Amino acid sequence: TATGTTTQTVSKASTTVTLTSSLNPSNANQAVTFTATVPAGVTGTITFTNGATVLGTQTIAGKVAAVTTSTLPAGSDVITATYNGDVNYNTATATLTQTVNKATPTVTVTTSGPSTYGSPVTITASVGSGPTGTITFTSGGVTLGSGTIAAGSVAITTSTLPVGTDTITASYGGDSNNNAATGTGTQTVSKATPTLALTSSVNPSSFGQSVTFTAKLPSTATGTVTFTSGATALGTVTLASGTALVSTSTLPVGSDPISAVYNGDANDNMANASLTQVVGKATPTVTVTTSGPSTYGQPVTITTSQPPGTTGTVTVTSGGTTIGTGTINSGGTVTVTTSTLPVGSDPITASYGGDSNFSASTTATPYL
């Protein structure tokens, strides 16, 4: 019996790979599944790449391997599935072009809630996790602010929104994977109720003394302030840098209720403040003059002068003797005439009795 042997060289077989996309074209940030199919009996792994970027390596199961990604950049992406071979089969590749369009993100605008004029409001625009770049906020054509997207959103704070229902627009500028987009929201801004402070330049004051009342509001307030003393109007004054003031010297003696009423404007409600102005009686200066030196028995005219507004009587005495009493006339004077003054230097004294606005007052003159 004889035998013979030989060697048979068996090379690895070539195989094919078929590559498909679950969605083509797709949008940026959209999940796409790539599936590679090989003939039955082929085992091992398949590596998926986008250019030089590895998307993943998967083990073949039931003739297929698949990978899912949502990170493809916008444009025409060349996807390659590389079969890495096994003991029986050589490597093989398949490619396709995945068209990825820019996404148009949804811009959602929210605020911190209803506000009053001049108070801060926080406005937030959200665009999701994919977009990058900046968002600009406007209202009525006025730019409120802008910011760079972080964690899918941008927030700004503003206190310049006008009273009313304000439409807020958030404009996303786009990036390499996302189209520009806008979103809107509304902010309700009510009138503010400002604080009004009322002060007096001098309190207490005296009858006839000039007193200035100052009303102070926030500098943004405009319009007018009306000042009253009880039912008496003191004046209506236009605000300047949030301040209005009025001066008067006609307040009656007593405790006078002073009120300041801010009449409001487009952004501010009315406001008021009050104080009590204490007005005391004034002490008038009484001036005494005579007709000049005289001789014994000759008539002498003595005249007293009081400030305007004084009423009542003035008594003229000399050395404890009453010379005469008179009622103050419209010119503010009292005149008495006497011819009983004794020889010598006679002191003349005028005593004012006072009235509802003036205290009693006594004035002595040099010797006549």
Side-chain angles (χ1 to χ4, degrees):
T1 300
T3 59
T5 61
T6 188
T7 300
Q8 178 66 38
T9 301
V10 180
S11 301
K12 287 185 179 182
S14 296
T15 190
T16 58
V17 180
T18 303
L19 178 61
T20 60
S21 167
S22 62
L23 181 67
N24 197 358
S26 60
N27 293 327
N29 307 314
Q30 189 172 18
V32 179
T33 299
F34 297 107
T35 302
T37 304
V38 295
V42 176
T43 62
T45 60
I46 294 178
T47 299
F48 298 84
T49 57
N50 175 26
T53 302
V54 176
L55 304 178
T57 298
Q58 302 294 327
T59 300
I60 298 168
K63 299 193 297 183
V64 298
V67 69
T68 300
T69 181
S70 57
T71 62
L72 296 175
S76 296
D77 299 332
V78 177
I79 308 301
T80 301
T82 301
Y83 168 58
N84 297 308
D86 62 9
V87 294
N88 294 317
Y89 293 94
N90 290 313
T91 61
T93 61
T95 62
L96 61 78
T97 298
Q98 176 71 29
T99 300
V100 181
N101 298 317
K102 284 188 176 184
T104 301
T106 298
V107 182
T108 303
V109 180
T110 58
T111 75
S112 53
S115 61
T116 55
Y117 177 74
S119 63
V121 178
T122 299
I123 304 169
T124 302
S126 301
V127 290
S129 60
T132 61
T134 60
I135 295 175
T136 299
F137 299 84
T138 59
S139 180
V142 177
T143 299
L144 305 176
S146 62
T148 301
I149 296 169
S153 66
V154 171
I156 65 165
T157 299
T158 180
S159 56
T160 62
L161 293 172
V163 169
T165 301
D166 301 326
T167 299
I168 310 297
T169 300
S171 300
Y172 168 58
D175 61 13
S176 59
N177 291 320
N178 295 276
N179 293 313
T182 60
T184 60
T186 57
Q187 175 65 23
T188 301
V189 181
S190 303
K191 285 187 176 184
T193 300
T195 299
L196 171 59
L198 176 63
T199 58
S200 168
S201 61
V202 55
N203 196 359
S205 60
S206 299
F207 177 76
Q209 183 179 7
S210 179
V211 180
T212 299
F213 298 107
T214 301
K216 186 70 176 178
L217 291 131
S219 61
T220 55
T222 61
T224 60
V225 176
T226 299
F227 298 85
T228 58
S229 174
T232 303
L234 302 179
T236 297
V237 181
T238 300
L239 286 165
S241 299
T243 301
L245 52 87
V246 67
S247 297
T248 181
S249 58
T250 62
L251 295 175
V253 170
S255 297
D256 300 331
I258 308 299
S259 295
V261 176
Y262 170 54
N263 298 305
D265 62 10
N267 294 317
D268 297 285
N269 291 313
M270 295 179 64
N272 60 76
S274 62
L275 59 81
T276 299
Q277 178 69 32
V278 177
V279 181
K281 288 185 177 183
T283 301
T285 299
V286 180
T287 303
V288 181
T289 59
T290 72
S291 54
S294 63
T295 57
Y296 179 75
Q298 181 182 0
V300 177
T301 298
I302 302 168
T303 302
T304 70
S305 299
Q306 291 70 227
T310 53
T311 61
T313 61
V314 176
T315 299
V316 179
T317 61
S318 178
T321 301
T322 299
I323 297 173
T325 299
T327 300
I328 298 171
N329 62 26
S330 60
T333 64
V334 170
T335 301
V336 297
T337 301
T338 183
S339 58
T340 62
L341 292 173
V343 172
S345 297
D346 300 324
I348 306 299
T349 300
S351 298
Y352 169 59
D355 62 13
S356 60
N357 293 320
F358 292 91
S359 299
S361 178
T362 299
T363 299
T365 66
Y367 291 94
L368 175 64

